[in-house]
Structure formats: C-alpha cells, structure tokens
Amino acid sequence: MLFTLAFRNLWRNRRRTLLTLSAMVASAALLILALGVFSGMFRDMLASATEQYYGHLVLAKTEYHERRDMFAHLDEEVASRYITAEDTEIIGISPRLRSFGLISLAETSQPVELLGVIPEREKQVTSLQTKLIAGNYPSEAVNNGALIGQGLARKLKVSTGDEMVFVTQAADGSIGNDLLIITGIFATGDSRHDNNLVLAPLGWAQKIMVLPGRIHEVAMTLADPMLAALTADRLNPRLPDDVEILDWGDLLPEMREVIAAYDVSRMIIVSILYMATGLGILNTFFMSVMERTREFGILMAQGMRPWTIRGLVLLETCLLGGIALAIGLTCGAVMTLYMQQVGIDLAGYITPVTYAGGTILPRLHAVFEAGNFYVPAGMLLLVSLIAGFLPANRAARLDPVQAVREV
Amino acid sequence: MSLIELQDVSKIYRLGSQEIPALTGVSLTFEAGEFAVLAGPSGSGKTTALNLIGCLDHPTSGHVIVNGLDLGTASKKALADFRLQNIGFIFQSYNLIPVLTAAENAEFTLMLQKVPKPERRAKVRKLFVDLGIDGLENRRPADLSGGQQQRVAIARAMAADPHVILADEPTANLDSHTAEELLELMRRLNREQATTFIFSSHDDRVIAQARRVIHLQDGCLADDLTISK
C-alpha cells in the first residue's frame, strides 16, 4: 500500500508533477542524444585515423613507428607466426611495405608516402575503397596500379589511367623507380591522406625497393577498436624482443587523450545538467511535503515510524525518477537512432577539420554506446534520491503535535 | 494497574521567550472500558491532555504512563510503535488520506502492523458493516459526507483493536443529528466491544453522553465526575 500511496501522491498536483517530469525527461533524452552525437564525432575521428591509414593495431620492429627506418623490415609471413585463428577479435590483417619518395608527371613532382599493400587484404583494414571518387581500387590483376588521393591528383593534374613515375631509395643503395598507372582516386576529407598517400601493390613496391618478401608492418583491425590496448597487451608477450604491437592509442596519443578528456567532460556535462534538474525535483518535493505537513502528522499519530515517512517521500522521488528514466531513455534512444540512421549533413556550411590525428567530418551523426545510456540513467536516479532526501528528512523530523495542528 | 495514569503532569509551551502553561499539575487515571470526556472551554488544556495520553507529546514535568509505558523514557521510534499497537485517533477534521479510498484509509494501520492483506480486508469489511458505511469502501474521502468521513475515521481508529481511542472534538464539524448518531455509535462500540474512549469536547450535548466527565479549567483539573446511567 505504501507504493500505491506514493504513486497516487505523485499525481495530487498533476500539473506540477508533469512539469517536473517533462524537465527530467527532456534532460535525460537530450543528454543521451548529445552524448551519442559526441561519441559519433569521436568515432568518426578515430575511424578517419584508423580506418583510412593505421588500423587498430600495428605489428612492426621496435621503434619503427618513430624512425620509419627502411631497414627495419620483417618477413612477409610474420603475422601468421604470432596471430592465430583463436585471436577472433582480429578481423583483418594487412602486410605493408612503406616507402617515401617523389611522384612525377611531366614537370610536376610531389613528395609522397607510398604503401605497398595486398589490395584484398588492405580492404579488411582500411576503408579507402569506400572513399573512391573516380576509378577503381587497385587489384592483383594490374601489378603497377595505384590509388592516390584527391589532393595529390589535383596537384599533379592527373586522372585515372594516367601514368606517373615514382622515385625512391632502394634497400641496396640504388635509386628505385618505375611507372605507376592511376586506377583510382579517393577523397577522405583528411588533407594528410588526400595530399600525400599512394597505395600500390606490395609486389611492385618490394621490387623497386629491392626488398623481396619483406614488409615494414602488419596493420590489423579489430571488431571493437576500444579493445585495442587490451589486445596489444595480450599479444605482445608472444613476440620476440625486437618486434612489438602498438595500438591506435600508442600511434595516436593525442587521440587517446581527446577520448579520455571526453569521458571526463561527459561526466561534467551530466553533472551540471542534472544539478539543475535536481533543483527542480527538490523544489517540487519540498512544496509537496510542505503541503502535506498535517497529513504526515496524522500518519505519525497512527504509528508510522519516521523512517517509513522518509521512505515514503524517497519512494515518491524514485518513482518520478523511474518514470522519467523510462520515457527519457526511450526518447533518447529514438532520437539517437534517427541521428544514427539519418544524421545532419553540414558539408554545405563547414569543411572537415583535422584534430588530434583524426578528422572531424562536416556532419552530425550519433552512435549507440552503452555508457551514453547508463551514465545519464544512473545519474538521474542518483539525483532523484539526493533531491528527495532533504524533503524526506524534513517530513521525517516533523513534530506530530505541530504537524497535526498545521492548516 | 490503571490503563492510563497521569501523575502530577505539567506541560509548558515556549513561544520565543514566553512560556505558556497548557497543563498544570494534573493527575488522572483511566481504567479499561471507560467512556470519558475531557470538557472545558477553548484553551483549557483538553487537546494537550489528549496529545500526552496519545504519546504524541512529552510532559514538561510529571509522568504519563499508558499501558505500563512511561512516555518520558521512550524514544521517538518506540512511541510510534506504541501508538501503532495501543492507540487509535479520531480527529476533529477527520483527516483521512485523500488519495486513498475509504477502505484503504481504514486498512492503513493494519498495513503498518504488517497484517496480511486478506485478513485486513476482511476486518475492514466487517467494521464498515458495523459502522453502517458498507458500500462506501471504494470511495475517496472527497466523495463522502462529513458524517461518513468521521465513520471511516472511527473505522481507521478501531481497525487495529487499540487499547484506547482518543477523539479530539469528534463532532465539532458535524451537524447535530449526525453528531448524535456518531456519539451513539461510539457508545455502542464502547458497550459491546469494551473499547476505551476518551474524547474532548466543549459541547454540552456531547458531554451529557459521557459516563465520566473531567472538567479542565486553565490547564488545571477542575472537576472529575462519574455519572451513573
């Protein structure tokens, strides 16, 4: 009956309860949406860095990442030695050979970074095949086909089918050079990749660098990028001393910091918003308790213990919090789903921004993340309890004689 | 041992620096099964005496002993438990919980005593029949007349079989006919179920119904008459 009493008490002043409820629902729903959009933005940034270039994990010689030493190469089959079928979280593995050189067409030259890849394997790790604006992704069929970025193509004034010369230092001390045929042009929105990156077949790159059967790194992709650090920690003990696996957080420390800072700022945003909501709840329940002073006196006279009175008011606030939570979570989920499926395209207003090693795309879109739901949900219930405690305490400490006299 | 003993009880209220004596040196005893009225004009100390007997307030000096418990030594929680088990209240303004139905109001004390639902339903149903308000179980207080509300309040007070029922001006808000009916009902319950009733009133017609009349004047005991009827 206490539950019945608490529930009915909520609706004594229907308008006031609905107003408080709507504030709680709106704060929960909008917060979930905002956090979903933030997560979407960071997911885009992370994806731009990992799915367009690094992958989530990179196996290479120790310190290769800092020095890019051409001679820090590995056996082409190195991955199969250390990564087994039991490592099911790894869903893509791509061996790569890296070279820095000049690419020329007629009298125009540009410095570029060339990645020698096995096209079908590279597609498992990066998603440049989805960013094509002209031509096709390189294939095994064309042994010197290349994929270049839109910015580079513009600078060189080339299009698909054109031939270019790539010149680089070879491992034997000679100058390696050969013709590349442009099979496709990509546009990621990230100027570093669009202006500098060239993908070519691994065999072709090994030939001109005179590094047959050798690679510089193995890029890997995971089902859940947030598990990259854990996976790297698990795999590293298997490797010899001069080989290491770095996760995207090691490769992009700024990105890791940004995401860690986001987790903190998320808590701050939630706290500020709910502080305001909490004041609303506090006001509502203080008024409700003041209006029912006489009634609490009657309940005490009947033998209701102070703790039960306190519990009754807290039950009312928790009920209100629970109702707000159910509606708020539903509305938040629906809005997040809409922003995930449809989103808002801002390409007409802003250009992509490169920040902390990733690219913020000109769009608003949300992603579902458990934390974006349980943090606001938990906080809402906590705020309801805290805001309810003061009025509940007041009710429990009433003097029954004075309370019964209250008009 | 008497059911209720007031031993040289005084109660002083403090209003800022001012002290207002509400009761001064009152000594009284009540036996089980009494039908007594505390009579006197407004400000004579009737309600204060009822509050003290009902364990709602502590005396400033003296002892109030109800069913063996000295109220001066009991904690807030112990007093609440004692009220729940021993005392029923009927208030002048009925004071039913507006969001509960008549039956739920009457059941409330039993719910606090953790009496199983079917048992408390059955008990309240019987009480409603005895009090002539059967059929009104599912009505909210706002849908009941003053007399009906006061009967529900009596049902609420009686539901837990308390040792004593305290009624503060129970008929003050009722018309004379309903007041008479209600008094007759209380007398019947006292007679048939031996429930102890102590009520306060300044209405001579009500006072005339009591078997014992205790007159209070300016917080002091003025007269204590037992009337044989």
Side-chain angles (χ1 to χ4, degrees):
Chain A
M1 195 187 286
L2 263 191
F3 183 88
T4 308
L5 181 59
F7 187 78
R8 291 185 194 164
N9 278 336
L10 271 186
W11 305 106
R12 282 183 174 207
N13 191 327
R14 198 175 290 261
R15 185 179 299 175
R16 186 172 63 201
T17 301
L18 284 175
L19 275 172
T20 310
L21 187 67
S22 57
M24 292 166 81
V25 166
S27 61
L30 292 176
L31 193 60
I32 287 167
L33 175 67
L35 294 179
V37 170
F38 270 124
S39 295
M41 191 177 79
F42 286 111
R43 195 72 74 86
D44 277 349
M45 283 175 67
L46 181 60
S48 71
T50 59
E51 292 173 21
Q52 291 168 22
Y53 184 69
Y54 284 107
H56 299 136
L57 296 175
V58 175
L59 181 152
K61 285 262 188 179
T62 310
E63 295 185 5
Y64 173 75
H65 176 62
E66 277 89 33
R67 295 169 55 193
R68 296 293 197 216
D69 179 3
M70 180 175 65
F71 299 101
H73 45 72
L74 298 159
D75 175 9
E76 198 175 334
E77 300 302 323
V78 64
S80 59
R81 234 171 286 144
Y82 304 113
I83 312 296
T84 66
E86 287 170 12
D87 300 315
T88 50
E89 67 271 45
I90 299 172
I91 56 173
I93 297 175
S94 175
R96 293 165 166 180
L97 186 69
R98 180 177 281 104
S99 174
F100 297 94
L102 279 176
I103 200 159
S104 315
L105 181 76
E107 292 169 0
T108 312
S109 297
Q110 285 292 323
V112 294
E113 175 184 355
L114 183 138
L115 281 183
V117 299
I118 300 169
E120 290 310 310
R121 302 275 294 274
E122 183 64 19
K123 280 183 187 174
Q124 297 170 0
V125 175
T126 55
S127 58
L128 291 178
Q129 71 277 9
T130 65
K131 313 285 183 191
L132 291 177
I133 56 165
N136 301 303
Y137 201 74
S139 69
E140 301 288 346
V142 184
N143 76 343
N144 64 343
L147 184 69
I148 67 169
Q150 184 184 30
L152 185 60
R154 203 175 288 144
K155 286 176 184 171
L156 293 171
K157 297 185 178 65
V158 293
S159 57
T160 53
D162 288 345
E163 286 187 343
M164 303 177 301
V165 177
F166 178 67
V167 182
T168 189
Q169 184 191 349
D172 63 355
S174 64
I175 299 295
N177 64 84
D178 201 351
L179 282 177
L180 277 173
I181 299 169
I182 301 169
T183 61
I185 298 171
F186 65 82
T188 62
D190 184 332
S191 57
R192 293 164 309 163
H193 302 147
D194 290 353
N195 292 339
N196 297 305
L197 190 61
V198 177
L199 259 61
L202 178 63
W204 181 89
Q206 287 170 333
K207 194 179 79 184
I208 67 157
M209 291 180 74
V210 196
L211 284 171
R214 308 300 291 179
I215 56 169
H216 283 126
E217 66 184 29
V218 179
M220 291 172 267
T221 192
L222 302 175
D224 181 357
M226 294 303 161
L227 294 179
L230 280 177
T231 309
D233 289 345
R234 195 171 56 76
L235 296 177
N236 269 320
R238 299 180 191 173
L239 307 176
D241 289 345
D242 63 339
V243 178
E244 64 181 354
I245 289 178
L246 299 178
D247 66 87
W248 60 261
D250 300 321
L251 301 163
L252 296 158
E254 312 90 348
M255 178 76 73
R256 182 167 53 193
E257 293 303 314
V258 164
I259 289 177
Y262 163 65
D263 283 339
V264 175
S265 55
R266 174 168 66 179
M267 287 308 292
I268 293 171
I269 293 169
V270 171
S271 303
I272 291 172
L273 189 70
Y274 278 166
M275 212 175 282
T277 310
L279 287 175
I281 302 170
L282 186 69
N283 177 53
T284 297
F285 279 92
F286 252 126
M287 285 174 71
S288 168
V289 164
M290 303 277 273
E291 286 167 2
R292 289 187 284 154
T293 298
R294 186 187 180 93
E295 202 171 295
F296 287 124
I298 304 297
L299 293 175
M300 285 175 169
Q302 283 183 260
M304 194 181 239
R305 291 178 182 173
W307 259 107
T308 316
I309 300 257
R310 191 177 279 124
L312 176 68
V313 178
L314 282 176
L315 187 60
E316 290 172 22
T317 59
C318 284
L319 269 174
L320 191 66
I323 295 168
L325 191 64
I327 303 173
L329 283 183
T330 308
C331 293
V334 169
M335 290 193 290
T336 305
L337 185 68
Y338 174 81
M339 287 299 284
Q340 185 193 39
Q341 302 293 324
V342 182
I344 299 172
D345 186 7
L346 300 173
Y349 308 100
I350 53 174
T351 55
V353 178
T354 301
Y355 172 62
T359 304
I360 301 171
L361 298 174
R363 63 171 182 167
L364 285 179
H365 103 287
V367 293
F368 277 94
E369 263 181 25
N372 294 340
F373 284 83
Y374 69 68
V375 171
M379 287 289 280
L380 184 64
L381 286 181
L382 188 67
V383 162
S384 301
L385 263 180
I386 293 170
F389 188 77
L390 287 175
N393 220 28
R394 186 191 184 277
R397 295 167 87 111
L398 285 171
D399 174 7
V401 174
Q402 286 176 8
V404 169
R405 276 192 204 137
E406 192 86 20
V407 181
Chain B
M1 190 178 64
S2 303
L3 178 64
I4 299 161
E5 283 181 58
L6 275 72
Q7 299 172 353
D8 197 20
V9 168
S10 295
K11 178 71 188 178
I12 299 170
Y13 290 109
R14 286 187 174 79
L15 201 66
S17 59
Q18 203 182 353
E19 288 193 343
I20 302 163
L23 279 182
T24 310
V26 172
S27 293
L28 281 170
T29 56
F30 294 91
E31 304 302 328
E34 282 204 49
F35 194 75
V37 62
L38 295 170
S42 289
S44 59
K46 303 187 297 291
T47 303
T48 302
L50 280 182
N51 286 341
L52 289 169
I53 295 168
C55 312
L56 290 174
D57 210 351
H58 288 92
T60 309
S61 65
H63 295 276
V64 178
I65 300 163
V66 183
N67 205 19
L69 177 80
D70 187 339
L71 304 188
T73 60
S75 68
K76 241 180 159 180
K77 177 177 166 286
L79 287 178
D81 289 346
F82 187 80
R83 286 195 297 270
L84 181 62
Q85 301 298 337
N86 294 277
I87 296 165
F89 284 93
I90 300 168
F91 299 93
Q92 183 179 329
S93 318
Y94 331 126
N95 288 324
L96 300 175
I97 308 295
V99 294
L100 297 181
T101 63
E104 286 168 342
N105 264 288
E107 270 181 50
F108 200 78
T109 323
L110 294 172
M111 187 275 294
L112 291 176
Q113 288 182 341
K114 298 186 169 53
V115 174
K117 200 171 181 177
E119 200 177 313
R120 60 182 200 239
R121 281 278 152 89
K123 189 159 194 179
V124 165
R125 201 174 303 124
K126 183 177 178 309
L127 266 173
F128 271 48
V129 172
D130 286 351
L131 295 169
I133 46 173
D134 50 320
L136 304 179
E137 287 87 346
N138 294 322
R139 292 211 196 160
R140 295 272 178 99
D143 301 326
L144 299 172
S145 69
Q148 288 170 333
Q149 286 191 57
Q150 199 59 304
R151 281 169 191 248
V152 175
I154 293 173
R156 177 175 69 181
M158 294 198 60
D161 297 324
H163 287 100
V164 59
I165 290 179
L166 304 173
D168 189 10
E169 307 263 10
T171 58
N173 286 353
L174 302 175
D175 62 72
S176 57
H177 176 68
T178 313
E180 209 165 291
E181 272 186 2
L182 204 77
L183 276 168
E184 179 47 39
L185 176 68
M186 285 160 65
R187 276 173 63 97
R188 179 165 64 84
L189 292 170
N190 169 256
R191 215 168 37 236
E192 292 173 0
Q193 299 181 22
T195 309
T196 308
F197 275 90
I198 303 173
F199 52 99
S200 68
S201 183
H202 59 266
D203 184 339
D204 289 339
R205 285 173 305 176
V206 176
I207 294 166
Q209 300 286 324
R211 285 204 303 273
R212 181 181 173 194
V213 181
I214 299 153
H215 279 281
L216 293 171
Q217 184 75 44
D218 297 329
C220 299
L221 182 62
D223 208 355
D224 186 351
L225 296 171
T226 302
I227 299 149
S228 52
K229 292 186 178 176

